[in-house]
Amino acid sequence: MVSISSGCIEEAKEKERTEVVILGTTDKIVSLDPAKAYDYLSVNVINNVFEGLVGYEVGSSNIVPLLAESWEVKDNGMTYLFKLRKGVKFHDGSEFNAEVMEKSIKRAMELKGDPSFLLDVIDEVKAVDEYTLEIKLKYPFSPFLSVLAFSVASAVSPSYGEEFTDEAIGTGPYKLEKWTRDVELVLVRNEEYWGEKARTKRFVIRFYQDSSQLRLAIERGEIDIAYRELKPLDIIDLKEKKGDLIVLEGDSPVIRYLVFNVKKEPFNDPSIRKAISLAINRKEIAEKIFFGTVKPLYSMVPEGMWSHSEVFPERDLKRSSEILRSLGYSEEKPLEITLWYTPTHYGPTEADVAQMIKQQLEETGLIKVNLESVEWATYTDYMRKGTMGFFLLGWYPDYLDPDDYLWPFLQSDASPSLGSFYSNERMDELLLEARKAESREEREKIYKEVQELLAQEVPYIPLWQGRQYVVLRRGVRGVVLEPTQIFRYYIVEKGAVG
């Protein structure tokens, strides 16, 4: 008979406990195909399972090699030549090489998923030899390497075909083991990863219906990390408490805004869009709903980023009413509009935000607002189809450059993916000039003009800029709140609590 000491049993249990990290969220995954995914959580999971040619250095916006070991920029910024890493395998055992990378990028471009417009600058991509890839651009574009760091440019298994798939077969530090939609996703360490192995054997994401359930789960110890979204008051409360929970806080380039579908009446009239914009009180939203955990925003370019210019005015209810009356609206004949929002994707405050915007607009006495809501999957479908005329949305950066806060929103071919369908020939000219400009000073001057035109045309209304918050159980290490908003699961680990 073999005797096993209680100490050995406890040691085994502790080892098992520390080999799994569980993150709880109220967010949802839409797709795990890099060619299709264009929402925060989908992209974030992809960043831990897939890789592209380049990525971001941990904790910074500096570009570093991933599947490319090195690169050379030629022809005055028109050609990029990448030397690829050898000996890399996909999770299904297939080999990574230049032919596969060529196919992956072309697939993303041809499938025309939501993020495909980011690759529109590419003119040609081809494998020069087994481990050399050449990408030719349509014009010089200084943030191009940052674009390649976004998930749409990830290498996918050669088994991927001409349709979208959620198989999630990449080369990254984690492999997809199981995914039960809206219930649980399990990642397991890729033991054959070419680089530094993931620090935790399994990383689990559990999905919660609301922030109350999420807070209860972190307080009970059912999860190790709570991320997106707890209520602002929960964050404040947990920061003040002492115990086993730690609240991390960091700057964020995340912005929230209102979208007008400019092809849909009555929002096809710039004067109506301007009147609505003038009735919005950003400070009231930031203080009464978010208790100062966000800050008002007066441009689509976030504060702290070069070229940021506060072009949208503060609330002016008198001017808003004057515009509406000049258009024939009155107390007896108000402007009747519908404001759409999605109730859970952006956290528990979204309904409150929609209600406050309704209240602010109706304070003109000349606007009547109906509220409508649908869940995220339907919301994004409505957005692409142009169903909604006026709705709330948020933006997490694809790459840290003003171009990423302006081109996708305002360029004629890109704006339909965000539901505004905005098109302006002069705006397109300015955006292209900025991309081609050689110096940052020249680009900044152009972007100032772009933002001024944005404020005149008002296809969007910037509302606020967020901050990042994550709640950890004591003993969890390696969580970095990045300027890129990437959450790197593979550097997170859990040790004994001392």
Side-chain angles (χ1 to χ4, degrees), residues 75-113:
D75 304 328
N76 295 316
M78 294 283 284
T79 302
Y80 288 71
L81 199 64
F82 295 91
K83 294 295 182 182
L84 306 188
R85 196 174 297 278
K86 299 177 182 178
V88 176
K89 290 187 176 183
F90 288 91
H91 301 155
D92 60 4
S94 54
E95 298 284 342
F96 167 76
N97 55 38
E99 183 180 343
V100 174
M101 192 71 240
E102 174 191 335
K103 179 185 173 184
S104 297
I105 293 176
K106 285 182 174 178
R107 177 180 179 273
M109 295 171 70
E110 291 165 2
L111 282 178
K112 296 296 181 184

Coordinates of all heavy atoms in Angstrom, one line a residue, residues 75-113:
D75 N 12.3 51.8 -52.7 CA 11.5 52.5 -53.6 C 10.8 53.7 -53.0 O 9.6 53.9 -53.2 CB 10.6 51.6 -54.4 CG 11.3 50.5 -55.1 OD1 12.4 50.6 -55.5 OD2 10.7 49.4 -55.2
N76 N 11.5 54.4 -52.1 CA 10.9 55.6 -51.5 C 9.6 55.2 -50.7 O 8.6 56.0 -50.8 CB 10.6 56.7 -52.5 CG 11.8 57.2 -53.2 OD1 12.8 57.5 -52.5 ND2 11.8 57.4 -54.5
G77 N 9.6 54.1 -50.0 CA 8.5 53.7 -49.2 C 7.4 53.0 -49.9 O 6.4 52.7 -49.3
M78 N 7.7 52.6 -51.1 CA 6.6 51.9 -51.9 C 6.8 50.4 -51.8 O 5.8 49.6 -52.1 CB 6.7 52.3 -53.4 CG 6.4 53.7 -53.7 SD 4.7 54.1 -53.6 CE 4.2 53.4 -55.2
T79 N 7.9 49.8 -51.4 CA 8.2 48.4 -51.4 C 8.7 48.0 -50.0 O 9.7 48.6 -49.5 CB 9.1 48.0 -52.5 OG1 8.6 48.4 -53.8 CG2 9.3 46.4 -52.5
Y80 N 8.2 46.9 -49.5 CA 8.7 46.3 -48.2 C 9.1 44.9 -48.5 O 8.3 44.1 -49.0 CB 7.6 46.3 -47.2 CG 7.3 47.7 -46.6 CD1 6.6 48.7 -47.4 CD2 7.6 48.0 -45.3 CE1 6.4 49.9 -46.8 CE2 7.4 49.3 -44.8 CZ 6.7 50.2 -45.5 OH 6.5 51.5 -45.0
L81 N 10.3 44.6 -48.1 CA 10.9 43.2 -48.3 C 11.1 42.6 -47.0 O 11.9 43.1 -46.2 CB 12.2 43.3 -49.1 CG 12.6 42.0 -49.8 CD1 11.6 41.6 -50.9 CD2 14.0 42.2 -50.5
F82 N 10.4 41.5 -46.7 CA 10.5 40.9 -45.4 C 11.2 39.5 -45.5 O 10.9 38.7 -46.3 CB 9.1 40.6 -44.9 CG 8.3 41.8 -44.6 CD1 7.4 42.4 -45.6 CD2 8.3 42.4 -43.3 CE1 6.7 43.5 -45.3 CE2 7.6 43.6 -43.1 CZ 6.8 44.1 -44.1
K83 N 12.2 39.3 -44.6 CA 12.9 38.1 -44.4 C 12.1 37.3 -43.3 O 12.1 37.8 -42.2 CB 14.3 38.3 -44.1 CG 15.2 38.9 -45.2 CD 15.2 38.0 -46.4 CE 16.1 38.6 -47.5 NZ 16.1 37.7 -48.7
L84 N 11.6 36.1 -43.6 CA 10.7 35.5 -42.7 C 11.5 34.5 -41.8 O 12.5 34.0 -42.1 CB 9.6 34.7 -43.4 CG 8.8 35.6 -44.4 CD1 7.6 34.8 -45.0 CD2 8.3 36.9 -43.8
R85 N 10.8 34.2 -40.6 CA 11.4 33.3 -39.6 C 11.2 31.9 -40.1 O 10.2 31.5 -40.6 CB 10.6 33.5 -38.3 CG 11.3 32.9 -37.1 CD 10.5 33.3 -35.8 NE 10.5 34.7 -35.6 CZ 11.5 35.4 -35.1 NH1 12.6 34.8 -34.7 NH2 11.4 36.7 -34.9
K86 N 12.3 31.1 -40.0 CA 12.2 29.7 -40.4 C 11.9 28.8 -39.2 O 12.1 29.1 -38.1 CB 13.6 29.3 -41.0 CG 14.0 30.1 -42.2 CD 15.4 29.7 -42.7 CE 15.8 30.5 -43.9 NZ 17.2 30.2 -44.4
G87 N 11.3 27.6 -39.5 CA 11.1 26.6 -38.5 C 9.8 26.9 -37.7 O 9.6 26.2 -36.7
V88 N 8.9 27.8 -38.2 CA 7.7 28.1 -37.5 C 6.6 27.1 -38.0 O 6.4 26.9 -39.2 CB 7.2 29.5 -37.7 CG1 5.9 29.8 -37.1 CG2 8.3 30.5 -37.2
K89 N 5.8 26.6 -37.1 CA 4.7 25.7 -37.4 C 3.4 26.3 -36.9 O 3.3 26.9 -35.9 CB 4.9 24.3 -36.9 CG 6.0 23.6 -37.6 CD 6.1 22.1 -37.1 CE 7.2 21.3 -37.8 NZ 7.2 19.9 -37.4
F90 N 2.3 26.0 -37.7 CA 1.0 26.3 -37.3 C 0.5 25.2 -36.2 O 1.1 24.2 -36.1 CB 0.0 26.3 -38.5 CG 0.2 27.5 -39.3 CD1 1.0 27.5 -40.4 CD2 -0.5 28.7 -39.1 CE1 1.2 28.6 -41.2 CE2 -0.3 29.8 -39.9 CZ 0.5 29.8 -40.9
H91 N -0.6 25.5 -35.6 CA -1.1 24.6 -34.6 C -1.5 23.3 -35.1 O -1.6 22.3 -34.4 CB -2.3 25.3 -33.8 CG -1.9 26.6 -33.2 ND1 -2.9 27.5 -32.9 CD2 -0.8 27.0 -32.7 CE1 -2.3 28.6 -32.3 NE2 -1.0 28.3 -32.2
D92 N -1.8 23.2 -36.4 CA -2.1 21.9 -37.0 C -0.9 21.2 -37.6 O -1.0 20.2 -38.3 CB -3.2 22.1 -38.1 CG -2.7 23.0 -39.3 OD1 -1.5 23.5 -39.2 OD2 -3.5 23.3 -40.2
G93 N 0.3 21.7 -37.3 CA 1.5 21.1 -37.7 C 2.0 21.5 -39.1 O 3.2 21.2 -39.5
S94 N 1.3 22.3 -39.9 CA 1.7 22.7 -41.2 C 2.8 23.8 -41.0 O 2.9 24.5 -40.0 CB 0.5 23.3 -42.0 OG -0.2 24.3 -41.3
E95 N 3.6 23.9 -42.1 CA 4.8 24.8 -42.1 C 4.4 26.2 -42.5 O 3.6 26.5 -43.4 CB 5.8 24.3 -43.0 CG 6.4 22.9 -42.7 CD 7.4 23.0 -41.6 OE1 7.9 24.1 -41.2 OE2 7.6 21.9 -41.0
F96 N 5.0 27.2 -41.8 CA 4.9 28.6 -42.2 C 6.0 29.0 -43.2 O 7.2 28.7 -43.0 CB 5.0 29.5 -41.0 CG 5.1 31.0 -41.3 CD1 4.1 31.7 -41.7 CD2 6.4 31.6 -41.2 CE1 4.2 33.1 -42.0 CE2 6.6 32.9 -41.5 CZ 5.5 33.7 -41.9
N97 N 5.6 29.7 -44.2 CA 6.6 30.2 -45.2 C 6.0 31.4 -45.9 O 4.9 31.8 -45.7 CB 7.0 29.1 -46.2 CG 5.9 28.4 -46.9 OD1 4.9 29.1 -47.3 ND2 6.0 27.1 -47.1
A98 N 6.7 31.9 -46.9 CA 6.3 33.1 -47.6 C 5.1 32.9 -48.4 O 4.2 33.7 -48.6 CB 7.4 33.6 -48.5
E99 N 4.9 31.7 -49.0 CA 3.7 31.4 -49.8 C 2.5 31.4 -49.0 O 1.4 31.9 -49.4 CB 3.9 30.0 -50.5 CG 2.7 29.6 -51.4 CD 2.9 28.2 -52.0 OE1 4.1 27.7 -52.0 OE2 1.9 27.7 -52.5
V100 N 2.6 30.8 -47.7 CA 1.5 30.9 -46.8 C 1.1 32.3 -46.4 O 0.0 32.7 -46.3 CB 1.8 30.0 -45.6 CG1 0.7 30.1 -44.5 CG2 1.9 28.5 -46.0
M101 N 2.2 33.1 -46.1 CA 1.9 34.5 -45.7 C 1.3 35.3 -46.8 O 0.4 36.1 -46.6 CB 3.3 35.1 -45.3 CG 3.1 36.4 -44.6 SD 2.5 36.3 -42.9 CE 1.0 37.3 -43.0
E102 N 1.7 35.0 -48.1 CA 1.1 35.7 -49.2 C -0.4 35.3 -49.3 O -1.2 36.2 -49.5 CB 1.8 35.3 -50.5 CG 1.2 35.8 -51.8 CD 1.7 35.1 -53.0 OE1 2.9 34.7 -53.0 OE2 1.0 35.1 -54.1
K103 N -0.6 34.0 -49.2 CA -2.0 33.6 -49.3 C -2.9 34.2 -48.2 O -4.0 34.5 -48.4 CB -2.1 32.0 -49.2 CG -3.4 31.4 -49.2 CD -3.4 29.9 -49.1 CE -4.8 29.4 -48.9 NZ -4.8 27.9 -48.6
S104 N -2.3 34.3 -46.9 CA -3.1 34.8 -45.8 C -3.5 36.3 -46.0 O -4.6 36.6 -45.8 CB -2.2 34.7 -44.5 OG -1.9 33.4 -44.2
I105 N -2.5 37.1 -46.5 CA -2.9 38.5 -46.7 C -3.8 38.7 -47.9 O -4.8 39.4 -47.8 CB -1.6 39.3 -47.0 CG1 -0.7 39.3 -45.7 CG2 -1.9 40.7 -47.5 CD1 0.7 40.0 -45.9
K106 N -3.6 37.9 -49.0 CA -4.5 38.0 -50.1 C -6.0 37.5 -49.7 O -7.0 38.1 -50.1 CB -4.0 37.1 -51.3 CG -2.8 37.8 -52.0 CD -2.4 36.9 -53.2 CE -1.3 37.6 -54.0 NZ -0.9 36.7 -55.1
R107 N -6.0 36.5 -48.9 CA -7.3 36.0 -48.4 C -8.1 37.1 -47.7 O -9.3 37.3 -47.9 CB -7.1 34.8 -47.5 CG -8.4 34.2 -46.9 CD -8.1 33.0 -46.0 NE -9.3 32.4 -45.4 CZ -9.8 32.9 -44.3 NH1 -9.2 33.8 -43.6 NH2 -10.9 32.3 -43.8
A108 N -7.4 37.8 -46.8 CA -8.0 38.8 -46.0 C -8.5 40.0 -46.9 O -9.6 40.5 -46.7 CB -7.0 39.4 -44.9
M109 N -7.7 40.2 -47.9 CA -8.1 41.3 -48.8 C -9.3 40.9 -49.7 O -10.2 41.7 -49.9 CB -6.9 41.7 -49.7 CG -5.8 42.3 -49.0 SD -4.3 42.5 -50.0 CE -4.8 43.8 -51.2
E110 N -9.3 39.6 -50.1 CA -10.4 39.2 -51.1 C -11.7 38.8 -50.4 O -12.7 39.0 -51.0 CB -9.8 37.9 -51.8 CG -8.7 38.3 -52.8 CD -7.9 37.1 -53.3 OE1 -8.3 35.9 -52.9 OE2 -6.9 37.3 -54.0
L111 N -11.6 38.4 -49.1 CA -12.9 38.1 -48.5 C -13.7 39.3 -48.1 O -14.9 39.2 -47.8 CB -12.6 37.2 -47.2 CG -12.3 35.7 -47.5 CD1 -11.9 35.0 -46.2 CD2 -13.4 35.1 -48.1
K112 N -13.1 40.4 -48.1 CA -13.7 41.7 -47.8 C -14.5 41.7 -46.5 O -15.6 42.3 -46.4 CB -14.7 42.0 -49.0 CG -14.1 42.2 -50.3 CD -13.2 43.5 -50.3 CE -12.6 43.8 -51.7 NZ -11.7 44.9 -51.6
G113 N -13.9 41.2 -45.4 CA -14.4 41.3 -44.1 C -14.3 42.7 -43.6 O -13.7 43.6 -44.3

